[in-house]
Amino acid sequence: VADPEQGDIIDETLDLFRANSLFCNFEIKGPADRLLIILILYISDCLAKIGSARTVPTQIEASKMLNTLSVDNLAIPGDA
């Protein structure tokens, strides 16, 4: 059972998104770092998808856009 007082990898990714997304190189020391990189790329894709709309989407429109994005294949570094 996870401790609700302790943050998880999603919280950490969101808290450190801006700082971590500015790094050109990121030393991968383990699976948690790899997951952090994948989540940063996914958040970047989400923001790009919402930002590419012709007009500012409503919350419902943005939710639909992100739901569509969530079922697409995410290109992970190192994959073909």
Side-chain angles (χ1 to χ4, degrees), residues 11-40:
D11 292 331
E12 181 179 350
T13 304
L14 293 172
D15 289 342
L16 301 174
F17 173 74
R18 179 177 286 185
N20 285 334
S21 63
L22 295 176
F23 286 114
C24 294
N25 297 321
F26 193 90
E27 184 179 349
I28 300 173
K29 296 181 181 177
D33 289 337
R34 187 175 312 278
L35 179 60
L36 185 65
I37 291 168
I38 292 168
L39 290 172
I40 288 170

Side-chain angles (χ1 to χ4, degrees), residues 2-79:
D3 182 9
E5 296 297 318
Q6 197 172 29
D8 61 4
I9 189 71
I10 304 297
D11 292 331
E12 181 179 350
T13 304
L14 293 172
D15 289 342
L16 301 174
F17 173 74
R18 179 177 286 185
N20 285 334
S21 63
L22 295 176
F23 286 114
C24 294
N25 297 321
F26 193 90
E27 184 179 349
I28 300 173
K29 296 181 181 177
D33 289 337
R34 187 175 312 278
L35 179 60
L36 185 65
I37 291 168
I38 292 168
L39 290 172
I40 288 170
L41 292 173
Y42 184 73
I43 292 170
S44 295
D45 283 353
C46 291
L47 293 173
K49 183 76 169 176
I50 292 173
S52 68
R54 284 192 258 155
T55 60
V56 178
T58 65
Q59 184 175 355
I60 293 171
E61 292 169 340
S63 179
K64 287 179 183 179
M65 292 167 69
L66 294 180
N67 282 332
T68 302
L69 179 64
S70 71
V71 296
D72 289 342
N73 287 333
L74 176 66
I76 298 173
D79 284 352

